[in-house]
Structure formats: C-alpha cells, structure tokens
C-alpha cells in the first residue's frame, strides 16, 4: 500500500512498486491475483515526470519498476482508509470483483507492506485522512476472528513507524518498522534527472537483503531484523514478535515472501465404465 | 446386547438378522436390501450374517455396500462382532478425528493428524475448471471431448454432491503453458522424470495463466491435463522412493490436481508433425474424479484388512460417503456460525455506538434460529434437515458479519472526537 499523493512523494510509489516487483519477479512464486496493490497517486503518468510511463527506484534509471505488467488494484482516490479496512476485514460491497478482494483463509500467510507519511500512532492517507494504530489493530483482530490469516507479517516504512504496531493484540502477527517513535525515516537517493528522491532507506536495504533470497533459501526472520542498522538508515528499525507463536529463528523469509503449495501424489483411482451409455444431461 | 454393541459407534444403527435370503452375491444382496430399508440420510443399517454364509467372499468379514448398509459376518464371539461393527461405523460414519478435521481452523495444531487439514472447507458452491495444457502445439494437436466426458462421468458425481453445494463446471485449453520445473532425463528408463520434491514448484507459473471467473466468489478447483512437449516425452512423476507413480498425477489440497498425459512416440521417426492426439477421457476422468474425492476428504485407502467395499461404477461416491461429508460440513458450518456471531457481538461491545440496521439484525436472528434448529436436528440424527439448517445459518451469519455498513471506521473512537484549540 502506498498512501501518499503528490509528485514529491515519488519515492513512496517507487518503494511499493519495488516490493511488488520483488515478489513477482525474483521469487517467481506469487502472481498478480495474490497481491492487492494500492497506489495513491500515479507517478508514471504524472505530468511532472520527465520520463513518462516509468517509475525508477535506482538513480541512473537502472530499473523501471513500473514495467508493463503491473496490476494496480486500487488506484488514486480509491486508496482510502475505508477501502483499505474493507479489504482487510472483507466487509466489501457484493459487487466488488475478485481482484479487489483479499481472498484469504485460515491457512494463508499474509504480508502487508505500507509506506507513506506517518506520525506517532497514525499513517496519513492521501494527505487528507489518517488511519490510527488502534483502527489497524482492530482490523487485524477482525481478521483473526474470521480466521482470515494463519500468520501475518506487517512491514511499515514511514516516520515513527514503530508506533503503528504498538497496539496490535491479535495472535500470530509479526511486525517490522523503519523507525522508532520520535524518529524520522529518511529517504535514500535523490535523482537529479527526475528531480525527486527515488526510494526510502529502509525499503532500499530490505530489498537489497531480499536479493539474496531464493525459493529454497533458509534465511530466517532474525536476519531480516538486522537489516538497515542505524549507521545506514540513520533511524533505528524496530520489530515486534511477542504476538507470534513461533520463534522468529524458525520462521523462514520464504514463509511470507514465497508461496509453495503442499502437494500429494495421487495414489487412488476410481474405475469408470467407459461403455455405459452416456447419461442424458438434465 | 448386540444392539448395544452396534449402537456404541453412533446413532441410527439398526441390527437385523435376515434368515431366509439366499441370493448369490453381496452386491445383489445390497441392492435388494436397499429397496426394503428406510435409507434416510445419515442412517446406517448393518445386517449380520451367519459365520458360514457364502454371501460374503472367503476371508472377508465385512462388506460395505454403496448405499447405506453393510453385511457383517458373525462368529468368533460377541467381542469380535463388536470390534467389527465399531470398525464399520468408523469407516462409514463420522469419527472424533473426522470431526476434529472439520473444525481444523479452531483446533490447536498438535491435536490434528498430519493429513487432517487438507480437505476443502464447507462452501455454498464450488467452481470446477478443467484445463488442457498443450505446451507444444507444433508437435501435438490434442483433442479432448471434455463436454461429453463431463456429461457422462463428472455430472453424475456432481448430481450426487448437489445436496452438499452448487457446482459449476467450465473448461479451457491453454497453449504454450509450460511447467515450472524442467524434468530431468533418466537414461535407464529413457524417460523424463519429475521428482516428488520438485512438484510444489510445478504449479505456480501455470496458475498465473489459469484465470478464474471474476464474478463468483466460490472456491475454484482446477484440474489440469498436461501433455508434455515432444522433447520431454515420455514424462513420469516419481514418488519419494523413486518409483513412477501409476496415475502420473498429483494434487494439492484446496486447489486441485494435475495429471500428465503421455503421447506415444510415432511409429516412424519421419511421421509428420503435428501428431493428432485423441485423449482417452475415461483414463483421465478416473484420475480427476479420484482427486475430486480426495479433495473433499473421501478416501478409500485406509481400511481394515477383512473389509470389502462395493465398487461404485460411475456414481463416484457411495451414499454413506455423502453422509460423511454432510456430517463434517454440518459441524463445520455450526462452528463457523457460532464464532462469527460471537465475534460480531464482541465488536458491538467494543464499539458502543455502532448502529445495527434492521436487515443486519434480522439476519442475525435468522442465523441464531437456524443454528439452534441445526443443533436440535443433529441431536435427533436428522442429517438432512440439520445440514440445510446449518447452511442457512452460515449464509445469514456471513451476510450479517460482512455487511458493508459494519465498518467500524465509521464510528470513530472517542479519542478522535475532541480537540483543544489554543
């Protein structure tokens, strides 16, 4: 979810699209229908974009994270606190198509990544409204009550991000934030050609960390917690694991960043009589 | 005494002693008896035959029919009979573990057996999609008469399951859809092999292309038939021990199944391409329907040694298997309704100023009434009405819980209502 509007918040869109791309391309295990992507503003076709139809995440324009296969499910003014909470809790109007819903069940592991501008206990949406940490915690509890997740990983890259996970109280949630209460999260690299900062530091280093992960990787969550120490990030990333039942040591990154189905060999076969006259369709 | 032995296993079991029947075989006996008994949903009738009877084949002491009755051989004393009948009720009716599996999302992990969580969740409907994957159309022109196969073999099974849920079926053909794993060539068998541990990675790239109906929210069951490329033929799936799997198929819980269909190499190497392939739909449907059964949790594999099951022919499932499914789904529905309504009540406690609209309220009342009726019907063993009531209860409770008007955002907490301006 990218919650920021306006051209100078380019980096939040780039953050979100980079994480989206990482899921799709590098892990090759998740696909559009499993991701709900919310972008609050359109940077690619923004009139101020000197390179239209592109969004870059590295200076020197190495990688266009917009590409030609991004599926944005909620765009522009559709990204509101209400819609976000509706997606999470499932209280969605019946006419909403599948692609705009979170069709998870009690065995789904969910990863939620949010970026934008935040403060102590809130996250700003569209520069006109806020979601508080209380509302978010309540939404997760509603999800838990209806068993809409098995385990949930929450990652937030905003100023004072740690305040957003302070109020969680539902089981099986693990949270990471780019900065503590009272700290700002800083951006990473400005690009003089485009004229804005392209990414935020925390997301940049998380993505660098994820470069090393492949589908069979055994890297665990404790390693993710070490990403972006103060020397690189200037802010102090935080995490919260007390609600999570398993030890983070035993939680593989691929549990959330990959998707591998359980399969079983089919050993049974029924026997059909092929010569029976065809049943008349009713 | 025998009656108490029989009723130990469950409800609604009557034990009868036929004295004068002398038909030649068990299936005929089962069919004849079926006409005489009251085989209402959920009931089970056990006929005890003398030890020396030739009704049951040699070495078989329990014959399970395809309706709702079974033949048990007496002999070896009451204790043996009691054991046989208990085993029989565990096969034909519900057990503690099958109920625990139905409640799997509310039972702590440690209490479930490893395969307990694989069954499809109870739903009002399911969508079934049959897909033919042809990655190499230059080499193979594949024809499958899916419509005929569905009408002949699949529809009868779905008709039988229509009590459980609504089913919709569609099919598609996908070209140039390749598996996510490159099979390796095995010199010994001159074939290509997919090992068991590579199977989980096979599905994902294909799944992205399968598509699904945008309108329906029912769970989708995918059955894929994959015709390997000429350059990777023949292709076999290996199980963990390295032996080729006889069905050449695997399935994934709550998702569907994949079967690999090998095309015979042409007689002469100069045969012109593309080769025309007419898929043997009987062979394919035998596997797909078995997978469908497994996805629903109906397996015939773990049976005590002296049991014999009547073969089903083209009906796909026995009446008592339908009953098992209904027991599990009824219990699951009732559990879902109770947690949904409880959590709705808790939501109202927390946010005092939520307004419950009249239609939401009436759904809640309806859900409560239906679930109470379902419990009452279950207690008296009326499976059919219990299941219907549980379905209505789920529909109402889900409608109430997920009503868009209940978003608590609309009722902001007190700490957002006041501000002090200096």
């Amino acid at each position: 979810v990218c919650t920021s509007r306006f051209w100078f918040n380019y980096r939040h869109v780039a953050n979100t699209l980079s994480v989206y791309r990482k899921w799709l391309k590098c892990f090759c295990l998740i696909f559009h229908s499993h991701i709900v992507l919310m972008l609050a503003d359109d940077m690619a076709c923004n009139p101020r974009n000197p390179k239209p139809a592109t969004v870059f995440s590295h200076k020197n324009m190495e990688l266009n994270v917009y590409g030609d296969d991004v599926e944005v499910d909620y765009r522009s003014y559709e990204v509101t606190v209400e819609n976000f909470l509706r997606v999470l809790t499932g209280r969605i109007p019946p006419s909403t198509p599948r692609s705009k819903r979170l069709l998870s069940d009690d065995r789904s592991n969910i990863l939620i990544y949010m970026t934008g501008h935040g403060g102590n206990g809130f996250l700003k949406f569209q520069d006109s409204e806020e979601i508080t940490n209380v509302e978010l915690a309540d939404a997760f509890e509603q999800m838990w009550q209806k068993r809409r997740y098995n385990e949930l990983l929450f990652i937030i890259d905003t100023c004072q991000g740690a305040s957003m996970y302070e109020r969680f109280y539902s089981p099986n949630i693990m949270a990471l934030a780019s900065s503590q209460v009272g700290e700002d999260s800083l951006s990473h690299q400005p690009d003089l050609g485009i004229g804005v900062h392209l990414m935020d530091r925390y997301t940049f280093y998380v993505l660098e960390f994820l470069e090393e992960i492949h589908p069979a990787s055994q890297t665990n969550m404790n390693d993710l917690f070490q990403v972006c120490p103060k020397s690189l990030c200037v802010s102090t990333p935080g995490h919260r694991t007390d609600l999570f039942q398993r030890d983070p040591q035993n939680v593989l990154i691929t549990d959330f960043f990959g998707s591998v189905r359980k399969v079983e060999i089919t050993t049974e076969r029924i026997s059909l009589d092929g010569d029976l006259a065809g049943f008349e369709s009713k | 005494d025998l009656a108490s032995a029989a009723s130990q296993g469950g409800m609604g079991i009557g034990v009868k002693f036929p004295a004068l029947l002398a038909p030649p075989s068990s299936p005929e006996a089962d069919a004849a008896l079926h006409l005489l008994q009251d085989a209402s949903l959920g009931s089970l009738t056990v006929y005890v035959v003398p030890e020396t009877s030739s009704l049951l084949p040699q070495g078989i002491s329990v014959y399970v029919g395809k309706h709702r009755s079974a033949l048990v051989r007496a002999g070896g004393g009451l204790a043996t009979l009691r054991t046989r009948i208990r085993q029989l009720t565990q096969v034909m009716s519900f057990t503690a573990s099958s109920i625990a599996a139905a409640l799997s999302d509310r039972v702590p992990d440690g209490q479930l057996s490893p395969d307990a969580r694989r069954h499809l969740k109870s739903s009002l409907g399911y969508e079934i999609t049959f897909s033919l994957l042809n990655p190499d159309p230059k080499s193979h022109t594949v024809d499958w008469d899916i419509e005929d196969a569905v009408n002949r073999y699949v529809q009868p099974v779905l008709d039988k399951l229509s009590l459980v849920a609504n089913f919709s079926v569609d099919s598609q053909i996908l070209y140039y859809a390749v598996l996510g794993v490159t099979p390796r060539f095995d010199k010994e068998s001159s074939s290509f092999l997919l090992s068991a541990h590579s199977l989980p990675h096979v599905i994902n790239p294909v799944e992205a292309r399968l598509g699904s109906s945008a309108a329906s929210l029912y769970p989708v069951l995918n059955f894929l038939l994959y015709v390997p490329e000429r350059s990777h033929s023949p292709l076999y799936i290996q199980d963990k021990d390295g032996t080729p799997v006889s069905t050449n198929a695997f399935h994934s819980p709550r998702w569907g199944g994949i079967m690999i269909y090998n095309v015979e190499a042409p007689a002469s190497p100069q045969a012109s391409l593309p080769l025309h392939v007419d898929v043997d739909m009987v062979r394919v449907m035998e596997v797909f329907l078995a997978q469908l059964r497994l996805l629903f949790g109906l397996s015939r594999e773990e049976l005590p040694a002296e049991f014999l099951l009547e073969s089903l022919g083209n009906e796909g499932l026995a009446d008592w298997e339908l009953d098992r499914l209904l027991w599990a789904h009824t219990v699951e529905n009732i559990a879902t309704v109770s947690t949904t309504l409880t959590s709705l009540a808790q939501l109202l406690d927390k946010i005092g100023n939520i307004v419950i609209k009249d239609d939401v309220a009436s759904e809640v009342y309806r859900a409560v009434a239906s679930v109470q009726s379902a419990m009452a019907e279950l207690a008296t063993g009326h499976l059919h009405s219990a299941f219907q009531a549980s379905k209505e209860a789920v529909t109402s409770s889900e409608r109430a819980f997920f009503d868009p008007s209940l978003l608590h955002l609309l009722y902001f907490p007190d700490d957002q209502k006041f501000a002090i301006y200096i």
Side-chain angles (χ1 to χ4, degrees):
Chain A
V1 178
C2 161
T3 59
S4 292
R5 176 156 281 279
F6 305 131
W7 172 246
F8 50 77
N9 291 318
Y10 183 103
R11 61 190 184 283
H12 296 145
V13 172
N15 286 349
T16 314
L17 285 174
S18 306
V19 174
Y20 177 85
R21 193 163 207 79
K22 177 67 61 178
W23 266 336
L24 274 184
K25 298 293 188 204
C26 299
F27 289 99
C28 304
L29 296 174
I30 302 191
F31 26 88
H32 303 291
S33 57
H34 280 194
I35 307 181
V36 176
L37 177 62
M38 299 174 131
L39 295 181
D41 200 356
D42 178 10
M43 300 303 168
C45 298
N46 190 303
R48 292 171 73 170
N49 189 349
K51 304 274 170 190
T54 63
V55 174
F56 291 105
S57 62
H58 280 70
K59 61 184 179 196
N60 303 326
M61 300 185 219
E62 284 161 21
L63 178 62
N64 173 16
V65 291
Y66 199 62
D68 53 5
D69 59 353
V70 167
E71 273 186 26
V72 183
D73 300 302
Y74 286 84
R75 60 175 52 79
S76 189
Y77 290 108
E78 290 172 349
V79 181
T80 60
V81 177
E82 179 180 340
N83 281 345
F84 177 60
L85 292 179
R86 284 197 189 285
V87 167
L88 289 183
T89 56
R91 295 206 169 91
I92 259 183
S95 53
T96 315
R98 280 179 103 107
S99 58
K100 285 177 124 160
R101 289 177 186 256
L102 178 61
L103 295 170
S104 57
D105 62 21
D106 58 299
R107 294 197 309 179
S108 310
N109 284 353
I110 300 185
L111 168 56
I112 299 181
Y113 172 83
M114 301 185 78
T115 184
H117 286 291
N120 188 354
F122 66 91
L123 171 59
K124 205 165 66 153
F125 267 67
Q126 302 273 9
D127 205 32
S128 65
E129 56 177 359
E130 300 154 359
I131 185 172
T132 63
N133 49 7
V134 172
E135 281 170 327
L136 193 55
D138 285 344
F140 287 166
E141 176 62 13
Q142 296 281 296
M143 290 173 77
W144 175 251
Q145 287 290 326
K146 269 312 251 163
R147 296 299 186 274
R148 279 166 72 78
Y149 69 88
N150 173 37
E151 291 173 340
L152 197 148
L153 177 61
F154 177 75
I155 303 182
I156 186 162
D157 188 349
T158 64
C159 301
Q160 308 196 59
S163 65
M164 287 309 284
Y165 59 63
E166 263 172 16
R167 301 293 205 113
F168 293 165
Y169 54 94
S170 313
N172 288 351
I173 299 182
M174 197 186 303
L176 285 106
S178 55
S179 56
Q180 302 294 334
V181 173
E183 286 181 341
D184 290 338
S185 287
L186 301 183
S187 57
H188 185 58
Q189 43 185 278
D191 181 288
L192 297 179
I194 299 182
V196 285
H197 286 263
L198 293 185
M199 274 203 96
D200 282 323
R201 287 180 188 232
Y202 183 68
T203 303
F204 181 81
Y205 288 108
V206 166
L207 288 173
E208 230 182 41
F209 171 82
L210 292 176
E211 279 303 307
E212 314 293 315
I213 312 291
H214 54 89
S217 174
Q218 296 294 307
T219 324
N220 61 51
M221 282 296 165
N222 274 343
D223 303 319
L224 186 57
F225 296 155
Q226 311 305 323
V227 163
C228 209
K230 193 154 174 149
S231 51
L232 288 175
C233 258
V234 184
S235 58
T236 321
H239 58 268
R240 181 177 174 184
T241 56
D242 57 303
L243 296 166
F244 208 76
Q245 275 174 21
R246 293 192 286 153
D247 188 335
Q249 183 93 11
N250 302 329
V251 181
L252 298 178
I253 304 285
T254 50
D255 285 352
F256 290 98
F257 285 93
S259 140
V260 182
R261 292 194 183 279
K262 280 199 174 38
V263 299
E264 291 162 22
I265 306 273
T266 307
T267 47
E268 290 187 28
R269 184 204 302 263
I270 69 172
S271 71
L272 291 172
D273 186 349
D275 295 329
L276 265 180
F279 289 86
E280 268 146 36
S281 39
K282 305 203 164 82
Chain B
D1 202 32
L2 271 170
S4 71
S7 59
Q8 239 173 41
M11 59 181 86
I13 298 183
V15 185
K16 304 182 187 173
F17 293 83
L20 300 172
L21 294 169
S25 75
S26 335
E28 290 174 8
D30 186 65
L33 292 167
H34 176 61
L35 298 170
L36 296 174
Q37 72 202 200
D38 156 40
S40 59
L41 237 60
S43 70
L44 210 55
T45 311
V46 180
Y47 297 94
V48 183
V49 297
E51 186 171 1
T52 51
S53 166
S54 60
L55 199 53
L56 296 171
Q58 274 280 47
I60 297 296
S61 48
V62 179
Y63 179 81
V64 177
K66 63 182 183 183
H67 299 290
R68 294 187 169 92
S69 55
L71 305 173
V72 177
R73 196 193 291 278
L78 271 183
T80 317
L81 187 61
R82 175 191 275 144
T83 310
R84 285 183 188 151
I85 293 185
R86 183 186 299 134
Q87 285 175 329
L88 179 65
T89 52
Q90 285 180 341
V91 168
M92 290 181 81
S93 187
F94 57 87
T95 60
S97 62
S98 71
I99 298 299
L103 299 172
S104 66
D105 59 353
R106 283 158 182 84
V107 168
D109 249 343
Q111 287 182 25
L112 293 173
S113 66
D115 59 23
R117 298 176 77 183
R118 69 179 187 176
H119 309 155
L120 286 167
K121 288 171 82 68
S122 164
S123 167
L124 294 169
Y126 301 91
E127 268 187 37
I128 299 183
T129 305
F130 292 103
S131 306
L132 172 64
L133 305 178
N134 185 355
D136 192 7
K138 287 203 275 283
S139 306
H140 301 130
T141 307
V142 186
D143 270 329
W144 70 340
D145 195 352
I146 184 70
E147 203 171 334
D148 181 66
V150 167
N151 287 336
R152 272 176 185 256
Y153 308 119
V154 180
Q155 200 54 51
V157 180
L158 298 185
D159 288 340
K160 199 139 188 189
L161 283 172
S162 61
L163 204 53
V164 178
N166 296 327
F167 286 89
S168 67
V169 182
D170 44 51
S171 68
Q172 62 181 339
I173 304 184
L174 288 177
Y175 294 103
Y176 296 106
V178 189
L179 296 181
V181 178
T182 313
R184 64 178 181 80
F185 185 68
D186 177 52
K187 281 205 207 73
E188 274 174 35
S189 57
S190 282
S191 60
F192 289 85
L193 300 175
L194 274 179
S195 61
H197 65 81
S198 67
L199 294 178
H201 304 286
V202 164
I203 301 184
N204 280 320
V206 175
E207 190 169 352
R209 300 192 49 194
L210 287 178
S212 61
S213 157
S216 154
L217 292 177
Y218 290 153
V220 179
L221 302 179
N222 290 294
F223 294 100
L224 313 184
L225 186 66
Y226 185 76
V227 179
E229 304 115 300
R230 186 84 257 125
S231 55
H232 284 144
S233 290
L235 178 61
Y236 297 106
I237 298 175
Q238 266 181 326
D239 66 20
K240 284 191 300 285
D241 312 317
T243 35
V245 173
S246 68
T247 56
N248 218 12
F250 66 99
H251 58 277
S252 180
R254 298 190 185 176
W255 184 82
I258 298 188
M259 177 179 172
I260 299 183
Y261 190 90
N262 286 312
V263 174
E264 280 194 21
S268 77
Q270 277 85 31
S272 68
L273 296 177
L275 302 168
H276 187 249
V277 181
D278 252 318
V279 176
D280 176 0
M281 294 309 293
V282 173
R283 219 178 93 204
V284 169
M285 283 303 168
E286 285 182 342
V287 173
F288 280 164
L289 290 174
Q291 289 177 331
L292 180 67
R293 284 169 48 94
L294 288 170
L295 290 170
F296 274 104
L298 302 172
S299 165
R300 298 200 139 197
E301 288 206 310
E302 303 125 14
L303 286 177
E306 323 151 312
F307 277 54
L308 179 63
L309 291 177
E310 183 170 347
S311 84
L312 296 169
N314 287 17
E315 283 170 34
L317 61 152
D319 290 346
W320 54 269
E321 288 179 315
L322 178 65
D323 291 351
R324 274 187 77 123
L325 210 47
L326 290 176
W327 289 120
H329 282 200
T330 308
V331 170
E332 190 183 332
N333 288 345
I334 293 177
T336 306
V337 171
S338 61
T339 36
T340 304
L341 292 178
T342 310
S343 110
L344 187 57
Q346 284 170 350
L347 175 66
L348 299 183
D349 272 339
K350 270 197 80 198
I351 303 168
N353 49 358
I354 271 192
V355 171
I356 296 290
K357 300 191 306 188
D358 285 344
D359 51 344
V360 175
S362 60
E363 293 291 351
V364 174
Y365 285 132
R366 197 174 305 148
V368 172
S370 301
V371 81
Q372 284 171 336
S373 152
M375 300 274 289
E377 295 293 312
L378 263 190
T380 50
H382 297 138
L383 180 55
H384 189 196
S385 34
F387 179 69
Q388 300 294 12
S390 75
K391 262 204 314 198
E392 280 167 30
V394 167
T395 312
S396 293
S397 67
E398 298 283 294
R399 248 187 241 139
F401 187 88
F402 286 114
D403 190 273
S405 72
L406 284 179
L407 195 64
H408 66 272
L409 162 71
L410 306 174
Y411 314 99
F412 28 83
D414 286 341
D415 67 344
Q416 300 208 348
K417 287 184 192 159
F418 302 105
I420 299 175
Y421 294 92
I422 299 174

